[in-house]
Amino acid sequence: MDVLARNNVRLSGSGREAIVFAHGFGCDSNMWRYVAPVFEDRYRVVLFDNVGAGKSDLTAYSFEKYGSLEGYAHDLIEIVDALSMTKVVFVGHSVSSMVGLIAARKRTDLFKSLIMVGPSPCYVDDGDYVGGFTAAQIDELLEFLDANHLGWSGAMAPVIMGNPDRPELGDELAASFCRTDPAIAKHFARTTFLSDTRELLTDFSIPTLVLQCSSDVIAPVTVGEYVHEKLNNSTLVVMKATGHCPNLSAPEETVAAIDAFLRTAR
Amino acid sequence: MDVLARNNVRLSGSGREAIVFAHGFGCDSNMWRYVAPVFEDRYRVVLFDNVGAGKSDLTAYSFEKYGSLEGYAHDLIEIVDALSMTKVVFVGHSVSSMVGLIAARKRTDLFKSLIMVGPSPCYVDDGDYVGGFTAAQIDELLEFLDANHLGWSGAMAPVIMGNPDRPELGDELAASFCRTDPAIAKHFARTTFLSDTRELLTDFSIPTLVLQCSSDVIAPVTVGEYVHEKLNNSTLVVMKATGHCPNLSAPEETVAAIDAFLRTAR
């Protein structure tokens, strides 16, 4: 099996170290177009699409494998291995933050540091833990998506993006959601919003940057703080940027925060 | 050792198959800028710089290793292996055609087909074999380069490029020659112009396109015909393009010839 073709892996830039960017739910590697190129003068930059997204090989989609985040973590490990890389910097957006965590726990040799953009280890409130959604809200969200993929995409994307003063951002995300195969979108949404990776945060010591937006309905500040508290070796940066996609809405601030972290985490 | 960093490997495009472009003496992967992108809609496109060229890791240069084309072939094999690829299409310009041949003989599993742009297995006339230069001319050429790197670059580049009606092409090649580290340029010139890989052409059956310019002082038409005659499974295309660098001087014709070969060689 050809891992690099399956995940539409692209490699640009020059440098001794590599930085790997992973996109979130309903998106593809295009989400990194304002961020990734900035690192090309110092890093080899790896972009890829999750199976089911972008220009990945849709025939490789498996409802069993991708029914848990483990399936995506397995692919991430295969990609880094297929590129014969070790000790990469990993940048994950949203659910892919946790995919990176799962992969890094399995193969510490492959990851030098993690950068989590808007991570959430659990979207559902649970006792003292505030994920931001009740179980009923998540069920409702998934039922709405099951019933009306395009309607859900148009309604949810602007909410997830935030930044209502720049409606083109929400429009882009809505279009990205709509482009996703409906069956895959519904399945990935379920895999994402029902995931609970909280216990994986403990006993994890690879340097990690938690990049938190100051107003994000998908991953509220309390969630970023929780992630930061549980990790052994993390830095929490709460950005001025709002919404769940600072890579698109505030690329300069996102780049600056990643850059500062990379320069100190050597 | 990090092969992908050493050779400044970049990967773009999407597709089931991969196409690898290798540049010639005194150049770098930039020589493929009009050709390689055309294949990105159907192939994964691999670009790299030879050690000693472009943005490669100069500290990896070894006068022993790169004293023969075998050293470059070794690196090519390592690059394809490092990308976990097999059965790639290889496009080599000038001396890199022969590097591809050496690599493909060692590892037939890695190469689906070869495209040789302006190949020459031997630059020096030898009995019935007409390489285009007498042994004395090659010695003179290397002595001139040893004595005056910049002068040689300025004088030879326009001759190699041909197309005197477009002096900017020769200027670009001269600038590329001048950018090369003088010690490495002198060494690579010696490795190139004193190479004799004629015996490697026999018993080679991987489909090969010999792309020959109609007026090329470095690799005359008789040399392309010789390569074609010796190979078991080759196609000879004599282009209207003149000079030794059709990838720069006649990219449309170069792309069209490669494309036609790839569509029939499936």
Side-chain angles (χ1 to χ4, degrees):
Chain A
M1 188 209 35
D2 187 332
V3 171
L4 302 183
R6 181 190 66 191
N7 283 96
N8 187 32
V9 176
R10 276 131 316 127
L11 184 62
S12 59
S14 309
R16 292 201 165 270
E17 296 187 356
I19 184 166
V20 178
F21 290 90
H23 67 82
F25 167 81
C27 303
D28 61 29
S29 48
N30 194 39
M31 278 295 276
W32 294 111
R33 68 183 182 278
Y34 301 129
V35 173
V38 178
F39 295 92
E40 288 178 345
D41 63 341
R42 282 175 295 142
Y43 287 86
R44 279 167 300 135
V45 171
V46 180
L47 288 169
F48 71 98
D49 296 327
N50 282 332
V51 171
K55 290 187 174 174
S56 68
D57 180 0
L58 289 191
T59 67
Y61 197 81
S62 150
F63 285 90
E64 187 184 345
K65 175 177 178 183
Y66 300 113
S68 80
L69 298 184
E70 297 265 336
Y72 294 99
H74 181 263
D75 288 357
L76 172 59
I77 289 170
E78 282 190 338
I79 290 165
V80 179
D81 272 340
L83 291 169
S84 309
M85 290 175 170
T86 57
K87 293 289 173 198
V88 303
V89 176
F90 174 83
V91 187
H93 177 219
S94 191
V95 65
S96 283
S97 307
M98 295 338 239
V99 170
L101 177 70
I102 296 170
R105 288 186 77 97
K106 284 181 195 288
R107 288 286 301 280
T108 53
D109 58 314
L110 297 186
F111 298 89
K112 182 186 180 194
S113 58
L114 302 189
I115 293 157
M116 299 178 161
V117 182
S120 173
C122 183
Y123 298 88
V124 184
D125 300 339
D126 177 27
D128 288 347
Y129 175 78
V130 179
F133 297 89
T134 64
Q137 283 175 318
I138 289 288
D139 284 347
E140 205 176 304
L141 185 145
L142 294 172
E143 280 167 24
F144 177 19
L145 173 56
D146 280 350
N148 185 349
H149 173 235
L150 298 184
W152 186 91
S153 300
M156 286 302 294
V159 176
I160 294 171
M161 179 59 76
N163 297 281
D165 54 319
R166 289 186 285 164
E168 67 277 13
L169 293 173
D171 288 351
E172 178 182 335
L173 192 61
S176 181
F177 286 178
C178 293
R179 267 197 305 276
T180 309
D181 177 279
I184 292 176
K186 290 168 189 177
H187 190 240
F188 190 12
R190 206 162 288 274
T191 302
T192 299
F193 289 113
L194 299 178
S195 65
D196 183 354
T197 51
R198 284 176 291 172
E199 66 182 20
L200 300 179
L201 296 170
T202 54
D203 300 323
F204 185 78
S205 299
I206 292 178
T208 300
L209 171 65
V210 178
L211 215 47
Q212 173 69 48
C213 288
S214 47
S215 177
D216 178 350
V217 295
I218 297 294
V221 174
T222 50
V223 172
E225 288 170 348
Y226 178 90
V227 171
H228 173 54
E229 273 165 31
K230 294 289 180 184
L231 292 171
N232 284 340
N233 191 3
S234 64
T235 305
L236 173 66
V237 171
V238 180
M239 296 195 289
K240 287 181 184 163
T242 56
H244 189 56
C245 306
N247 37 6
L248 216 54
S249 66
E252 291 88 357
E253 190 183 7
T254 305
V255 164
I258 295 174
D259 197 44
F261 173 74
L262 291 176
R263 290 184 190 277
T264 57
R266 284 177 182 281
Chain B
M1 187 209 37
D2 187 331
V3 171
L4 302 184
R6 181 190 65 191
N7 283 96
N8 187 30
V9 176
R10 280 133 311 133
L11 183 62
S12 60
S14 309
R16 293 202 164 270
E17 296 186 356
I19 185 165
V20 179
F21 290 89
H23 67 82
F25 167 81
C27 303
D28 62 27
S29 48
N30 193 39
M31 279 294 276
W32 294 110
R33 69 184 183 277
Y34 301 129
V35 174
V38 178
F39 295 91
E40 288 179 345
D41 62 341
R42 282 176 295 141
Y43 287 86
R44 277 167 300 137
V45 171
V46 179
L47 289 168
F48 71 97
D49 295 328
N50 282 333
V51 170
K55 291 187 174 176
S56 68
D57 180 1
L58 291 189
T59 66
Y61 197 81
S62 150
F63 286 90
E64 185 183 348
K65 176 176 177 182
Y66 300 113
S68 80
L69 299 184
E70 297 265 337
Y72 294 99
H74 182 264
D75 288 357
L76 172 60
I77 289 169
E78 283 190 337
I79 290 165
V80 179
D81 272 340
L83 291 170
S84 309
M85 289 175 170
T86 57
K87 293 289 172 198
V88 303
V89 176
F90 173 83
V91 186
H93 178 219
S94 191
V95 66
S96 283
S97 306
M98 294 339 229
V99 170
L101 178 70
I102 296 170
R105 288 187 76 98
K106 286 182 194 286
R107 289 285 302 278
T108 54
D109 58 313
L110 297 186
F111 298 89
K112 183 186 179 190
S113 57
L114 302 188
I115 293 158
M116 298 179 162
V117 182
S120 173
C122 183
Y123 298 88
V124 185
D125 301 338
D126 177 27
D128 289 345
Y129 176 79
V130 180
F133 297 87
T134 63
Q137 283 175 318
I138 289 288
D139 284 347
E140 204 175 305
L141 183 146
L142 293 173
E143 280 166 24
F144 177 20
L145 173 57
D146 280 350
N148 185 349
H149 174 234
L150 298 184
W152 186 91
S153 301
M156 285 302 293
V159 176
I160 294 171
M161 179 59 75
N163 298 281
D165 54 321
R166 289 184 286 165
E168 67 278 12
L169 293 173
D171 287 351
E172 178 181 335
L173 192 62
S176 181
F177 286 177
C178 293
R179 267 197 305 277
T180 309
D181 176 279
I184 292 176
K186 291 168 188 175
H187 190 239
F188 190 12
R190 205 161 289 274
T191 303
T192 298
F193 289 114
L194 298 178
S195 65
D196 183 355
T197 51
R198 285 177 291 172
E199 64 183 21
L200 299 180
L201 295 169
T202 54
D203 299 324
F204 185 77
S205 298
I206 291 177
T208 300
L209 171 65
V210 179
L211 214 49
Q212 174 69 48
C213 287
S214 46
S215 176
D216 178 348
V217 294
I218 297 294
V221 174
T222 51
V223 172
E225 288 170 347
Y226 177 89
V227 171
H228 173 55
E229 274 166 28
K230 294 288 180 185
L231 292 172
N232 285 339
N233 191 4
S234 65
T235 305
L236 173 65
V237 171
V238 180
M239 295 194 290
K240 288 180 182 164
T242 56
H244 190 56
C245 307
N247 38 6
L248 216 54
S249 66
E252 291 87 357
E253 190 183 6
T254 304
V255 164
I258 294 174
D259 198 43
F261 173 74
L262 292 176
R263 289 183 191 277
T264 57
R266 288 184 177 277

